[in-house]
Amino acid sequence: MAGAGPCVFCQIASSSTSTQLLHSDEKVVAFQDINPSAFKHYLVIPVEHISTVKDLQRRMADYQLVSHLLDVGQTLLHRDAPDSKQYRFGFHQPPFNSVNHLHLHCLALPFIPSSQDREQMEMYKIHVSRTLRWIHQGREVAKEDKSISI
């Protein structure tokens, strides 16, 4: 639940910090990463506390949440970095996550190079295709089940 315990992202989601929100709705909030790895580097998080990507399940609600996280990230980057030719999106998987609250990294290239960033970008490359494949599978399930709208 947002605002519960010491989770800094829960505090951000409940507007309990001075963090400037780039987007806010009933499901997600978005803000700038405090250690940007790219020209634009945003985080989109669910308002509800979900610890990591490993806590997501193969159910329609989670497909819809991840799809919404991605849609918000894409919209923000297209708005704020319209001339960027490349975008990257991805989740960290434990033990590579720095905050135990699900967060989608949304980056408009070019990267801001550092050795740590290069290592992290390799992890993004591995996970971004899995993330997009997972979203696509959820959308295919939704198309088959006419009672679900995404």
Side-chain angles (χ1 to χ4, degrees):
M1 173 183 284
C7 174
V8 66
F9 284 0
C10 285
Q11 293 171 4
I12 291 170
S14 67
S15 299
S16 298
T17 70
S18 61
T19 302
Q20 179 182 359
L21 298 180
L22 304 171
H23 172 90
S24 179
D25 63 38
E26 68 281 350
K27 298 279 185 193
V28 305
V29 299
F31 50 94
Q32 292 186 37
D33 191 295
I34 61 170
N35 294 308
S37 298
F39 167 62
K40 295 290 182 187
H41 185 167
Y42 300 150
L43 301 178
V44 185
I45 67 170
V47 171
E48 176 187 352
H49 184 87
I50 300 171
S51 291
T52 73
V53 70
K54 290 190 176 235
D55 293 308
L56 297 172
Q57 299 175 15
R58 291 186 180 273
R59 60 181 182 193
M60 189 50 58
D62 287 350
Y63 286 122
Q64 290 172 327
L65 175 63
V66 172
S67 182
H68 186 52
L69 291 166
L70 182 60
D71 289 344
V72 168
Q74 289 174 329
T75 299
L76 291 171
L77 289 181
H78 287 293
R79 180 194 74 192
D80 296 344
D83 295 330
S84 182
K85 302 286 188 233
Q86 293 182 317
Y87 303 99
R88 297 287 185 268
F89 304 89
F91 296 104
H92 290 288
Q93 287 195 3
F96 301 105
N97 54 317
S98 57
V99 177
N100 267 344
H101 187 121
L102 182 67
H103 53 284
L104 178 66
H105 288 264
C106 307
L107 301 102
L109 304 188
F111 291 121
I112 299 170
S114 78
S115 61
Q116 181 181 2
D117 291 338
R118 283 190 292 276
E119 290 171 18
Q120 289 178 352
M121 291 306 108
E122 288 305 313
M123 294 307 298
Y124 291 146
K125 289 177 187 176
I126 292 169
H127 299 297
V128 72
S129 65
R130 291 180 188 160
T131 301
L132 295 175
R133 186 171 49 242
W134 194 70
I135 291 169
H136 177 72
Q137 289 171 348
R139 287 181 174 165
E140 290 302 313
V141 169
K143 286 179 186 175
E144 292 172 14
D145 185 345
K146 303 294 186 212
S147 67
I148 300 171
S149 65
I150 59 172

